[in-house]
Amino acid sequence: MWRLTLPLWRGPCGAAVACARSRRLTVAALFSAPSGSPGGGCEWLAQSAPVHWAEDGLVALQAAAGLPWWAAIVCGAALLRTAVTLPLAAHQGRLLAKLENLQPEIKKLAEHLRYEISVRGRQLGWSEKVARFHFKKNLRRIITELYIRDNCHPFKATLLVWVQIPMWVCVSLALRNCSVGTMDSEVQEQFSAGGALWFRDLTAPDSTWILPVALGLVNLMIVEIFALQKLEVSRLQKLATNFFRVVSIVMIPVAATVPSSMALYWFSSSFVGLSHNLLLRSPTFRRLCFIPRTKYDSETPYRDIVSAFTTKYYFKK
């Protein structure tokens, strides 16, 4: 049983849950600045070592696979998503499942702690304010000990964001350098003829807006699927969902102003990310990734998604 103690304590860091798309607008707005322009605030980053590594990786992948540049970009996005972010997403899923399964225990311990604080407060003559202070301080200590015990501190779940955002930015800037000729004029010439279908020139924006609109639709699909899995939604979660909906829509005109190579990469990355999100709903795949079961898990996740979409958007009165 947890004992009431009154040690000095510093509260744990809250889970800084973020989404990579929340920073894309600021970064993407800089991508369209021409090389060497005074307003090109990303020039210092575009010439950094990680971006050059991304450029070399793209060139090596294209040369080794012998693919046209549009196919190399799509394959590169799929490779990065599968080799880097999918394992991190599975790790995040394990942490979030552990946190979800801790909630009943935390609730029970909080009730017991509230009783102990009430008894101790009457004994020592604490005011309501003092009692509330000691309750919060000890509850934070207990929760921190549970996080340590189960190795599931919420901050660890943000590792995916800290890897995905820099990787997305570096690859985007590498494609921008290839498109504007900053890297190599020969590569730029290959990009100008390395497209397909309606985007033949990868150095020019997609004037048909097909790629930007497809990007926006895929990002909206990701947001909506994430929103549908929440049975109890707080006001903050509603605001966050609406914010990401707006960001997904704003990304459409942003993607229409950058080279097609970047818009193609953004669309491919988002599409593979959507596929991985759906894959992580599979009970079989979750078992393979050793993700603990929670009370919200379903044996028919895809049927549930279709049913939720149908109910929300087609039969909503």
Side-chain angles (χ1 to χ4, degrees):
M1 182 176 65
W2 293 95
R3 296 176 56 192
L4 171 63
T5 58
L6 305 175
L8 292 175
W9 180 88
R10 296 179 181 178
C13 297
V17 179
C19 178
R21 295 188 305 278
S22 64
R23 298 187 183 180
R24 289 182 181 177
L25 178 58
T26 303
V27 177
L30 296 174
F31 287 149
S32 58
S35 176
S37 65
C42 65
E43 280 303 313
W44 64 273
L45 182 59
Q47 302 305 320
S48 63
V51 173
H52 289 317
W53 296 338
E55 293 170 0
D56 295 339
L58 287 168
V59 172
L61 173 64
Q62 192 271 339
L67 297 171
W69 268 109
W70 70 268
I73 292 171
V74 172
C75 291
L79 181 62
L80 286 174
R81 277 284 194 169
T82 303
V84 180
T85 61
L86 180 58
L88 292 177
H91 174 66
Q92 183 186 64
R94 286 192 292 271
L95 291 173
L96 295 178
K98 288 181 180 180
L99 289 171
E100 185 67 40
N101 291 334
L102 271 181
Q103 297 312 306
E105 184 175 359
I106 291 175
K107 183 178 180 180
K108 183 178 180 180
L109 291 172
E111 293 174 354
H112 181 72
L113 176 63
R114 185 175 286 107
Y115 172 76
E116 286 193 353
I117 289 289
S118 176
V119 172
R120 182 66 64 89
R122 287 195 296 268
Q123 292 175 347
L124 301 179
W126 286 346
S127 66
E128 183 180 349
K129 183 178 180 180
V130 172
R132 185 164 56 249
F133 167 78
H134 287 303
F135 171 77
K136 291 181 178 179
K137 181 178 67 173
N138 281 272
L139 181 61
R140 288 168 182 161
R141 175 183 57 81
I142 290 172
I143 292 175
T144 301
E145 291 175 0
L146 290 175
Y147 289 161
I148 295 173
R149 185 196 71 184
D150 289 1
N151 190 25
C152 62
H153 195 286
F155 187 77
K156 293 182 179 180
T158 67
L159 178 60
L160 173 62
V161 175
W162 301 117
V163 172
Q164 184 173 344
I165 290 178
M167 183 177 71
W168 184 89
V169 171
C170 288
V171 175
S172 297
L173 286 172
L175 289 169
R176 179 251 190 194
N177 288 348
C178 293
S179 299
V180 301
T182 303
M183 175 188 176
D184 188 342
S185 58
E186 181 179 351
V187 174
Q188 183 186 23
E189 291 178 3
Q190 294 175 7
F191 265 54
S192 64
L197 302 175
W198 67 91
F199 54 98
R200 296 287 181 180
D201 186 355
L202 292 175
T203 66
D206 181 6
S207 59
T208 67
W209 283 55
I210 295 178
L211 283 175
V213 171
L215 169 67
L217 291 176
V218 171
N219 285 339
L220 282 173
M221 185 73 71
I222 294 173
V223 174
E224 295 306 318
I225 289 177
F226 180 79
L228 288 174
Q229 73 180 357
K230 298 294 183 181
L231 301 180
E232 300 176 0
V233 182
S234 66
R235 184 171 179 272
L236 180 61
Q237 289 173 330
K238 288 182 179 179
L239 290 174
T241 299
N242 289 331
F243 171 75
F244 289 125
R245 285 172 177 151
V246 172
V247 170
S248 299
I249 294 173
V250 171
M251 279 298 295
I252 295 175
V254 171
T257 64
V258 299
S260 297
S261 59
M262 293 170 57
L264 177 62
Y265 166 67
W266 293 352
F267 168 72
S268 302
S269 181
S270 292
F271 184 81
V272 176
L274 173 62
S275 302
H276 288 169
N277 286 339
L278 293 174
L279 180 62
L280 286 168
R281 300 293 186 90
S282 166
T284 302
F285 189 76
R286 291 175 70 86
R287 286 193 294 269
L288 290 175
C289 295
F290 302 102
I291 299 176
R293 286 187 59 85
T294 70
K295 64 179 182 179
Y296 296 114
D297 284 354
S298 170
E299 291 298 326
T300 58
Y302 307 120
R303 187 183 305 168
D304 295 343
I305 291 174
V306 173
S307 176
F309 263 106
T310 303
T311 302
K312 184 173 182 179
Y313 297 108
Y314 289 97
F315 297 104
K316 188 174 181 180
K317 295 183 180 180

